[in-house]
Amino acid sequence: MSFVASSTPPNFGRPSEFPKLPWHRVYLTALVIFAAIIGSLEAYGRIRGIVPSAPDSADLWAYHRSFVVGNDPKLVVAIGTSRIRTDLRSDVLRQCLPSHRFVQLGINGATSSLGLLAEISRIPGFSGIVLCDILPPLMAPEHDNDQVSFARRSVRKADALSTYLHGVLCERLVVLNADLTLRQCMSAQDGPRSNKDGRRHHTHADRTLDIDYTSPEGLKAATESRLRTYAEMYARERRYKSIDEFKLAIAGVADSVARIRRNGGQVVFLRLPASGARLELEESAFPSSVYFGALASVTAAPWIDFRDLSRDGDLDCPDESHLSLQAARIFTIRLVERLRLSALL
């Protein structure tokens, strides 16, 4: 028996003869299945204690920096360190000042915001209010460039906007947490945002920062670690022979404040909350009343001490450096009240 290959291709039917599927139902079913999977992962992640968080980045900072413009007296700009990111609550500010716009430009780490203040002062027509978180050792001229690179970094507007929109989603959905892995999801009770010392960060898309701790041991370890870091910093920072020498060193800050005031804007220096050994360290080396008083004298800009806003010690700093969420809400309300009483808002 022989087989002869046929040159005629097999007939599997014309396209019109294929069974017609209800594609709208197929798409809807796929969408429902996908949503169910995402919803299940989201619920499971939250049960495991994983925290949704917007990735903080230079692009996200640049997005918010783009809203710091001239000729806007209703603009409130926060600059400084992680303290100002935790201690000023954007939601409270929006409630207290519904006609104002708040921009959070704090940068984590022991860096000076005075160079950034100078950059803002050079924005043509800037007439908003700058809330400047600063500590005396960081007022020295050698720290002027600490945060300037952020302001001068070139970022495409489309990239910055994309980063912000991604942050808005990440702030709400655990499944978009960039640090999340399957192993962590299955085993880590504290989630990927918990550091080795038990510190857990939650960054909002507006760059407000929440810090909490997963255990008393973690809180103790973080507090001691941060205290050691700042003790080393204070030990190596410049010491002034006299307060007049300090005033000469910070003379350049007066130029930044003067430029802003000429446009109708304001600068307010903040001595933000601290407690315990951290507060003792800061005050023993550079007493606020002396050094902030000198800063106010040189610049003619007001300064606000957190202790003037505290009532019966209700401004609680669990790690001695950053306010708890409830204390931060109280502090923000009282700060706004003080600014209003001082006719700065």
Side-chain angles (χ1 to χ4, degrees):
M1 180 181 296
S2 63
F3 296 91
V4 179
S6 173
S7 62
T8 302
N11 183 8
F12 292 112
R14 300 185 182 88
S16 59
E17 295 176 354
F18 286 140
K20 294 183 178 180
L21 296 176
W23 290 109
H24 63 286
R25 294 184 182 177
V26 173
Y27 294 144
L28 180 60
T29 301
L31 181 62
V32 170
I33 293 173
F34 177 77
I37 293 173
I38 295 298
S40 298
L41 289 174
E42 183 73 17
Y44 183 75
R46 289 179 181 272
I47 291 173
R48 301 291 288 184
I50 299 172
V51 180
S53 183
D56 196 21
S57 66
D59 281 3
L60 183 61
W61 189 95
Y63 170 80
H64 292 287
R65 163 64 181 81
S66 69
F67 291 97
V68 182
V69 296
N71 304 310
D72 186 357
K74 299 294 186 180
L75 185 61
V76 180
V77 183
I79 61 176
T81 64
S82 60
R83 277 178 170 176
I84 203 162
R85 295 182 63 191
T86 57
D87 296 357
L88 288 188
R89 308 307 301 183
S90 59
D91 55 340
V92 175
L93 284 165
R94 284 192 293 269
Q95 293 172 4
C96 296
L97 302 170
S99 63
H100 287 66
R101 293 191 304 112
F102 176 64
V103 179
Q104 176 57 262
L105 296 182
I107 297 172
N108 291 2
T111 57
S112 172
S113 56
L114 295 182
L116 179 56
L117 176 66
E119 293 290 316
I120 293 173
S121 74
R122 297 186 183 99
I123 296 174
F126 178 83
S127 56
I129 180 171
V130 180
L131 303 177
C132 182
D133 155 36
I134 188 70
L135 287 172
L138 298 175
M139 295 177 190
E142 53 264 32
H143 288 288
D144 283 353
N145 291 323
D146 284 357
Q147 298 183 0
V148 170
S149 60
F150 277 77
R152 296 181 180 176
R153 180 174 174 270
S154 178
V155 180
R156 293 175 54 208
K157 290 183 178 179
D159 292 340
L161 176 60
S162 176
T163 299
Y164 171 71
L165 294 176
H166 179 250
V168 170
L169 292 175
C170 289
E171 179 186 352
R172 291 162 173 78
L173 296 174
V174 166
V175 292
L176 293 181
N177 191 320
D179 295 334
L180 179 63
T181 66
L182 181 60
R183 176 177 294 180
Q184 288 168 326
C185 186
M186 297 300 293
S187 63
Q189 290 291 338
D190 298 325
R193 288 288 173 183
S194 180
N195 298 335
K196 291 181 179 179
D197 60 8
R199 186 172 70 249
R200 186 164 56 186
H201 287 181
H202 175 199
T203 302
H204 298 264
D206 63 10
R207 300 195 69 254
T208 301
L209 178 64
D210 300 339
I211 303 177
D212 58 25
Y213 296 86
T214 57
S215 68
E217 294 77 15
L219 173 59
K220 183 175 183 292
T223 302
E224 292 175 348
S225 173
R226 189 176 288 111
L227 179 62
R228 285 193 299 271
T229 299
Y230 272 79
E232 293 171 0
M233 183 193 81
Y234 272 71
R236 66 175 179 264
E237 289 300 330
R238 181 199 293 204
R239 288 294 193 274
Y240 300 92
K241 296 178 181 178
S242 67
I243 200 64
D244 288 333
E245 182 184 354
F246 174 71
K247 288 181 177 180
L248 286 174
I250 62 172
V253 186
D255 295 333
S256 302
V257 174
R259 278 192 293 269
I260 291 174
R261 295 186 72 175
R262 281 196 294 269
N263 290 321
Q266 297 285 347
V267 177
V268 179
F269 294 104
L270 302 179
R271 201 289 181 229
L272 290 178
S275 63
R278 176 65 179 273
L279 181 59
E280 292 177 6
L281 168 68
E282 295 173 353
E283 290 298 308
S284 62
F286 295 90
S288 293
S289 59
V290 175
Y291 286 89
F292 276 93
L295 178 65
S297 173
V298 169
T299 63
W303 72 283
I304 296 176
D305 191 322
F306 78 93
R307 286 162 289 200
D308 294 335
L309 306 181
S310 178
R311 299 170 189 169
D312 299 322
D314 57 356
L315 297 181
D316 173 49
C317 295
D319 62 0
E320 299 185 349
S321 302
H322 305 89
L323 289 174
S324 64
L325 178 58
Q326 181 58 30
R329 295 184 184 280
I330 294 171
F331 175 77
T332 304
I333 292 172
R334 291 179 186 166
L335 177 62
V336 171
E337 291 173 349
R338 172 60 62 88
L339 294 172
R340 281 174 168 159
L341 287 173
S342 304
L344 295 169
L345 284 177

